[in-house]
Structures are given as structure tokens and as C-alpha cells.
DNA sequence: CGTAATGTTGACTTCAGTCAAAGGATGTGG
DNA sequence: CCACATCCTTTGACTGAAGTCAACATTACG
């Protein structure tokens, strides 16, 4: 895969401790930003299911995801969980907080991330306003995504939620109708992202499969077989 | 009221067309920022129920709210509505977008806002990195609030939603137990913010009133009479 | 002061949740 | 390589919280 081709540290000398992080995966960040940041980066690897940090931990670090997938979530005291987003390579984690993290982050698949001291990032932002500018634009996009998710959670039916979810992933990853799309998270994760139960998610998958809107080659892949009908089912 | 005491333009000469905007209400912005921005500000007044902009409009302007309350919302084609936030003086509106607004903004009460050309704001941000820094911190806070709202919409019961809503407002506005709290929005607005129906909101109000968690002096005021029990009811 | 808009309450319905069981996949150790 | 254990997913039967529909009460406003 060409995702492994380039190292985001480039050939720069100041890349202490920052190993094999594909440049393309630094995503929304400019190559220039990546070089700025690589000087303060520390690599971090996580196996699936391990936590990067927990809600309430002191928020000393921020991260960029370079490989794999992370889920961000909030928990209620009785264990109810709401996943607020699935992060993919290029995404920034830990932007939004004060003293402590306000959500937990856990690896969905094996994951590689770059860790930065929050204080070092702040210093870099003063030095390179362009970096801050790009972080603001990232935060704005996340905010727009959060608002779309609020509409989904507050007003859509189970069927509409699942359809919107699948279309959203396909769009983000640029996957066309008829093409198999990886779905690394479990049904439980999907349920907690969509504000549903596992059973309701499973039933909705089955119904859409029987209606030939989608195909399910296996439990961690989907193919959108009728995009128009799926967009219809999404409600907007 | 001392809210009218100061003008956010201060005594500066370059305050073209920017009338009576109370400094204190520019809220999260520094006095310094306000002066930076006042040179490019245009005032805007809105009666209750009027729209500031609609989803899909070209996003040429950004705003700071100086008086009153705005609701931001998204609509589905069939009219279902999700209110994503109520904005109060000091809040920034229009941060998160590309070419077009991705939500609509409508006045809940009579409202005054400062309008800025997006392009002018961008220019000012280059000139004054501190301004951009503060906008990033505002966006981060909004993102955290959006995540809390996702938990509410995805995982809380009607009762928990209303309790969380009331506690959130009381905290934001620094209103103590036993003190009357203004609730300018309609039951319909509350329902569309909490992902419920008007009837369910009304019933939840009635139940909590009968349980003496709250008092309802009139339809646009609430008093939290038992904060501990209300926090209990909020679920977290 | 009368009319329209907003809010409350009640009766009934429905969609998604709960509980339960069985089917499949994955992995470990004998 | 197979037997067993565990975990995840699917399916079915039933329940319940919130939605819908309808009537009435209250408020706001021209």
C-alpha cells in the first residue's frame, strides 16, 4: 500500500523518536505543518481495544492519528456510552479541552499516533500561525460534523441513522457504489455511535440487505449496491 | 442595567457604523480583540422570530451576538428540526463552514449582533494571531458542548434530558438554586433541542414540578428548587 | 376583548429496547 | 487437526418510553 510510502518527518534531522509515520496520512495538515510538528513528536502504538486516554485524565498531550482507527466516547456512571466520532489518519485528537480530557479515546484497530506535549504545540502555534489556522479549520469541520450528528441522534429513525452512517463513511473515504467498504468497528460500536442498541443495528442491516440497498460480504465490510435508494433512506 | 454601560468600540475613531454594543457582552473576546474587530464591524438588529441566515446561504459573514438569544438549527426536507444550540451574548456565529452556512440562525428574542465580512475577519486574524487563538479556544469549547449534547441525544431519557438542559443553563448563566431563571425559548424550541416532542417536554416539566425539583413561576421562567435531586435526575 | 398561538393533559399507538436463545466466527490447547 | 470455549452477531417474542392524535386551557397580542 502506498500509505506506507512516505514518512511525515521527511528527511529532516530533528525528527527525534518519530518513526515511520506516512506523510499522506497526516491528512489535513500541510507538509509544512508536519515538519514543524515532527520536531516535538513522540510516536505511540496501540493494539485494538487499548485506550489512548480516559475522560478525566490530565490533558497534557495532543495527538495526530497516523494509522488505524480510534473511537472517542463519553460514558455515563451506569455504563451507557455515546461514541462521538471515529478518528482516521490525519485527524487531530485532544484539541477540545481545558485541564482534563472530556472524553475517552480507544483503538478500534491497531493504531499509530504521534503524541505532542500540549505546551509544545502551543509554543509552535505562536511561532507558526499557519498551524493554528489549520487547527481552527479542522475544529470547524468537526463542529459541522457534530451538528450533523446531533440531527441524526435527535431526529432520525434507526433506518435513517444507519443509512446516513454508511453514506457518511463512503463519502469520507471516497468509496463508490458497488465497491466494498471496510467497517472495522463492531456492531456495538456502531450502536453506541448511532444512539441505538446492537439488536436494532443488526436488524436495520438485515432489512437493508434484504431490500438490496447494501450487501454484506462479511461482518466488517459493506457494499452500497443502490446509492440512490440509500440516500433516500437517509432522509436528507 | 449595566449591560448598556460600555460600548465595545470604546472611544476608538474607526468604529464606523458600530453602535451601542456593550463591551461586557463581547464575552469570550478580549477587549483588545473587540477593538481589532470593531473597525470592520457592522451592526445588525433582529426581532424575535426573524432569521439571521439560512442553511445554504453563501457564508460571507460571521457574527458576534451582543444582545438577546439566537437558536441555530438544521432542518430535514420533511420539516423535522434539530436545534444545535442557543447562542447568548459573547458567542461567535458562523465559525464553522466552508462556502455556505450549514445551519440556520433565528432570533429567539429581540437580538443585536455585530456582523463582520468573513474576508475581513480572515485578514484580521493574520494581523492579530491572538484573535485566531481565541477563536480556536471558542471552537474547542463548542465542540466539547456538542459532544455532551450527543451523549444527551443518543443515550438519555426524556427526564434526564430536561434535567441536564436546565442544569446546563443555570450553570452557564451562574444562576443559583432558588433563583428564577429566564427561559426565553418556547416548549417547541426546547423539544427540538432535546430531540423530543412538545408533549413529552411539557409532561417532563409537570412531573418535575410535582416532585418539587423545580418551580415554574410562568412559562418562560424556571426555578431550581432541589439542585441535588435535579443533578440526580440528569444522570451524570 | 377576541382570536390565534402556545402549552397541558389524556388516550392510544408505535418504534426501538429488553430479554432470551441460537447461530457463526475466532482462537487456544490438547 | 480437532474440540471446546468465548465472543460477536442475528433473530424472535414481548415490553415500554416516547410519539401521535385530540381536546382543552392558557397566554399573548392586535
Amino acid at each position: 500500500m502506498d500509505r506506507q510510502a512516505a514518512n511525515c518527518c521527511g528527511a529532516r534531522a530533528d525528527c527525534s523518536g518519530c518513526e515511520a509515520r506516512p506523510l499522506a496520512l497526516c491528512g489535513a495538515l500541510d507538509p509544512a505543518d508536519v515538519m514543524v510538528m515532527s520536531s516535538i513528536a513522540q510516536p505511540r502504538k496501540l493494539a485494538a481495544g487499548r485506550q489512548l486516554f480516559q475522560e478525566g485524565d490530565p490533558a497534557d498531550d495532543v495527538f495526530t492519528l497516523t494509522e488505524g482507527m480510534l473511537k472517542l466516547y463519553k460514558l455515563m456512571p451506569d455504563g451507557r456510552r455515546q461514541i462521538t466520532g471515529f478518528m482516521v489518519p490525519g485527524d487531530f485528537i485532544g484539541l477540545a479541552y481545558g485541564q482534563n480530557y472530556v472524553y475517552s479515546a480507544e483503538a478500534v484497530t491497531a493504531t499509530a499516533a504521534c503524541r505532542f506535549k500540549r505546551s509544545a504545540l502551543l509554543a509552535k502555534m505562536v511561532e507558526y500561525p499557519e498551524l493554528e489556522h489549520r487547527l481552527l479549520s479542522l475544529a470547524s469541520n468537526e463542529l459541522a460534523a457534530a451538528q450533523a450528528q446531533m440531527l441524526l441522534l435527535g431526529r432520525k429513525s434507526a433506518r435513517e441513522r444507519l443509512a446516513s452512517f454508511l453514506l457518511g463513511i463512503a463519502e469520507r473515504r471516497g468509496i463508490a457504489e458497488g465497491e466494498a467498504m471496510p467497517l472495522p468497528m463492531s456492531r456495538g460500536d456502531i450502536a453506541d455511535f448511532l444512539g441505538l442498541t446492537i439488536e436494532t443495528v443488526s436488524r436495520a442491516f438485515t432489512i437493508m440487505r434484504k431490500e438490496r440497498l447494501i450487501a454484506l460480504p462479511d461482518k466488517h465490510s459493506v457494499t452500497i449496491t443502490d446509492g440512490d435508494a440509500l440516500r433516500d433512506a437517509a432522509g436528507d
Side-chain angles (χ1 to χ4, degrees), chain A residues 48-160:
Chain A
R50 306 307 297 279
Q51 284 190 270
L52 185 59
F53 55 79
Q54 254 193 311
E55 188 172 350
D57 286 354
D60 298 328
D61 300 313
V62 298
F63 304 85
T64 51
L65 185 57
T66 54
E67 274 183 73
M69 180 179 275
L70 281 172
K71 58 192 176 203
L72 309 186
Y73 59 91
K74 289 175 79 83
L75 287 175
M76 291 177 65
D78 63 4
R80 279 176 283 174
R81 184 178 68 154
Q82 179 64 41
I83 292 181
T84 57
F86 294 103
M87 308 306 269
V88 295
D91 286 335
F92 228 90
I93 297 126
L95 256 182
Y97 50 74
Q99 277 282 101
N100 300 87
Y101 296 114
V102 294
Y103 49 80
S104 305
E106 186 181 312
V108 173
T109 63
T111 283
C114 290
R115 183 176 65 214
F116 308 93
K117 283 280 152 222
R118 184 168 154 67
S119 53
L121 179 69
L122 288 170
K124 286 291 172 192
M125 291 199 300
V126 172
E127 234 181 299
Y128 303 90
E130 272 304 299
L131 172 61
E132 179 148 48
H133 190 69
R134 217 145 302 113
L135 290 183
L136 178 57
S137 123
L138 278 180
S140 291
N141 289 342
E142 273 198 66
L143 205 44
Q147 288 163 345
Q149 190 69 0
M150 286 191 238
L151 177 62
L152 180 149
L153 292 170
R155 289 299 178 217
K156 290 188 182 179
S157 69
R159 177 187 176 76
E160 290 169 332

Side-chain angles (χ1 to χ4, degrees), chain A residues 172-196:
Chain A
R172 268 216 284 175
R173 316 211 27 172
I175 288 167
E177 193 169 322
E179 205 178 330
M181 177 166 79
L183 218 59
M185 68 291 285
S186 70
R187 295 290 188 263
D189 287 343
I190 296 173
D192 283 347
F193 183 58
L194 299 181
L196 300 170

